[in-house]
Amino acid sequence: MSTPVNLDTIRRVPKVLLHDHLDGGLRPQTVIDLARDAGYSGLPATDPGALEEWFAEAADSGSLERYLETFSHTVAVMQTREGLFRVAAECAEDLAADGVVYAEVRYAPELSQERGLSLDEIVQAILDGFREGERRAAAAGKRIRVGALLCAMRQNAMAGEIANLAVRYRDAGVVGFDIAGPEAGYPPTRNLDAFEYLRQQNAHFTIHAGEAFGLPSIWEAIQHCGAERLGHGVRIVDDIKVEEDGTAQLGRLAAYVRDRRIPLEMCPSSNLQTGAAPSLEEHPIGLLSRLRFRVTVNTDNRLMSHCTLSSEFAELHRTFGYGWQDMRWFTINAMKSAFIGFDERLEFINEVIKPAYDQLIP
């Protein structure tokens, strides 16, 4: 008899997470504790339950201003080494408790300099926190490895400096680079020098593209900047025409993305909040998975979207009927697309992921 697919059983299987923002996944109690320690009085609530509800409601409000306000609170309490260490350690613990065995968690170091921390101190605190979280998870019988992705904010002028930082720390736990922030008005080509440097250094990078902006954002990210993965990438469907009989005609860009197996870091719940998709039933992940793009499932911001990777899979199961075979496919897609060495990826796939799913698939 096959194992039923539900939130509890999904939590038990190994999962891989490629798109998760550190400042979007804090525990509500941690936000309160760190705000108190820092003398930050701007929180909308000081009860953890009420604060968690406020974050969810603000992110679901449909107002971009309220959505961005949620991050102003989390970033405000991530300004000390102790705060960054705690947030990173708890992130690794929480992901491991959800069954995530490998994760790449991203953060913009430039956002934590308000109290005088250097970029190096910020990166080191986060890496130390991840290692501590891995140790705590192991003590609880959970295996996880967490790599850091360093983000540069598109609207600022620090991409070159952050790219250099990513290269300097790549042997210490930083696995790659990303640019985040508003897409409209800030195309990825503004940071061409940073991407050229990363390519010269044989360093990995992903780019937020095709979430709030359309096909030009994706085209520039791939063809001008050389992105290895696309953060979100949902708007690639604008280059796909679906006929009445269900057959699909791919435009040249969509065909290129599929043919080259460029991974799409899709974040269903977050995409609904930001308006990138009108509903989960209409989310492009259904079509793109059917057409066998390199689709991966991710959380984006666990606190704001009130989700875990397991809950994202549970919602996809409810909406599209995805079973263990599909979840195994999504998970292997993600592991193949990770920014660590081939041998390490193969070990996770053959020694951790496949054996676990083989027990569930008749």
Side-chain angles (χ1 to χ4, degrees):
M1 181 181 295
S2 62
T3 303
V5 179
N6 55 50
L7 185 59
D8 183 55
T9 54
I10 293 171
R11 282 198 187 104
R12 298 179 205 164
V13 297
K15 292 170 290 294
V16 176
L17 179 59
L18 299 180
H19 194 122
D20 185 80
H21 289 265
L22 185 62
D23 52 332
L26 282 70
R27 298 174 183 174
Q29 185 63 59
T30 297
V31 178
I32 294 167
D33 293 346
L34 294 179
R36 182 187 62 244
D37 295 345
Y40 176 69
S41 59
L43 293 183
T46 54
D47 171 78
L51 184 61
E52 183 174 22
E53 185 176 345
W54 179 88
F55 272 107
E57 289 180 353
D60 281 334
S61 68
S63 165
L64 180 61
E65 289 75 17
R66 285 199 74 196
Y67 186 81
L68 294 177
E69 183 189 350
T70 61
F71 290 93
S72 70
H73 296 306
T74 56
V75 170
V77 302
M78 296 171 65
Q79 300 296 328
T80 65
R81 171 178 163 72
E82 294 74 22
L84 290 166
F85 179 89
R86 175 175 173 176
V87 168
E90 291 177 351
C91 170
E93 281 187 290
D94 292 345
L95 293 179
D98 189 47
V100 176
V101 293
Y102 177 81
E104 293 178 1
V105 179
R106 60 192 74 194
Y107 184 62
E110 62 198 79
L111 298 178
S112 288
Q113 292 190 290
E114 293 178 8
R115 293 200 168 199
L117 287 179
S118 69
L119 293 174
D120 287 87
E121 289 172 326
I122 293 164
V123 172
Q124 193 61 60
I126 291 171
L127 292 176
D128 290 345
F130 286 154
R131 298 295 83 77
E132 173 62 22
E134 290 171 349
R135 285 191 288 271
R136 295 177 191 172
K142 300 283 187 177
R143 170 184 177 174
I144 188 171
R145 176 175 174 185
V146 182
L149 290 172
L150 301 189
C151 288
M153 302 305 294
R154 320 168 82 109
Q155 67 272 34
N156 298 337
M158 296 185 64
E161 195 170 353
I162 302 303
N164 183 272
L165 197 66
V167 169
R168 285 195 286 115
Y169 279 88
R170 64 176 160 185
D171 293 327
V174 172
V175 296
F177 173 85
D178 176 34
I179 56 169
E183 285 186 66
Y186 299 97
T189 46
R190 283 169 53 104
N191 301 293
L192 275 178
D193 289 350
F195 297 122
E196 179 63 27
Y197 168 74
L198 290 163
R199 286 199 299 269
Q200 289 173 354
Q201 296 297 319
N202 303 311
H204 296 292
F205 59 93
T206 179
I207 295 178
H208 275 77
E211 178 191 19
F213 207 64
L215 293 173
S217 174
I218 295 174
W219 182 77
E220 286 195 15
I222 296 170
Q223 307 300 0
H224 279 280
C225 304
E228 296 172 70
R229 303 194 316 233
L230 293 172
H232 299 286
V234 290
R235 296 272 45 92
I236 195 65
V237 296
D238 295 344
D239 198 39
I240 303 173
K241 181 182 179 182
V242 181
E243 306 293 346
E244 289 186 7
D245 64 0
T247 60
Q249 301 294 325
L250 275 63
R252 292 196 183 277
L253 181 60
Y256 184 87
V257 168
R258 186 174 70 168
D259 291 347
R260 289 289 300 272
R261 315 308 296 147
I262 295 173
L264 305 174
E265 303 165 359
M266 312 212 87
C267 309
S269 293
S270 173
N271 293 157
L272 302 189
Q273 292 174 317
T274 60
S279 68
L280 193 55
E281 288 77 10
E282 299 170 90
H283 194 287
I285 195 170
L287 174 63
L288 296 170
S289 298
R290 177 168 69 83
L291 296 176
R292 282 309 192 243
F293 280 74
R294 176 72 72 81
V295 176
T296 68
V297 178
N298 302 277
T299 52
D300 205 13
N301 301 291
R302 287 170 287 116
L303 174 60
M304 286 71 173
S305 294
H306 199 63
C307 72
T308 63
L309 190 52
S310 292
S311 73
E312 292 290 85
F313 274 121
E315 285 300 303
L316 292 174
H317 167 68
R318 179 189 62 80
T319 304
F320 297 106
Y322 293 150
W324 296 122
Q325 191 80 43
D326 303 290
M327 293 181 201
R328 168 183 147 132
W329 181 73
F330 285 123
T331 301
I332 292 176
N333 276 353
M335 199 66 246
K336 286 180 177 179
S337 308
F339 287 161
I340 54 174
F342 175 77
D343 289 342
E344 297 169 282
R345 283 179 279 147
L346 210 57
E347 181 188 355
F348 270 106
I349 291 170
N350 291 331
E351 305 299 327
V352 180
I353 297 168
K354 284 185 176 179
Y357 282 91
D358 285 346
Q359 295 180 31
L360 302 172
I361 300 170

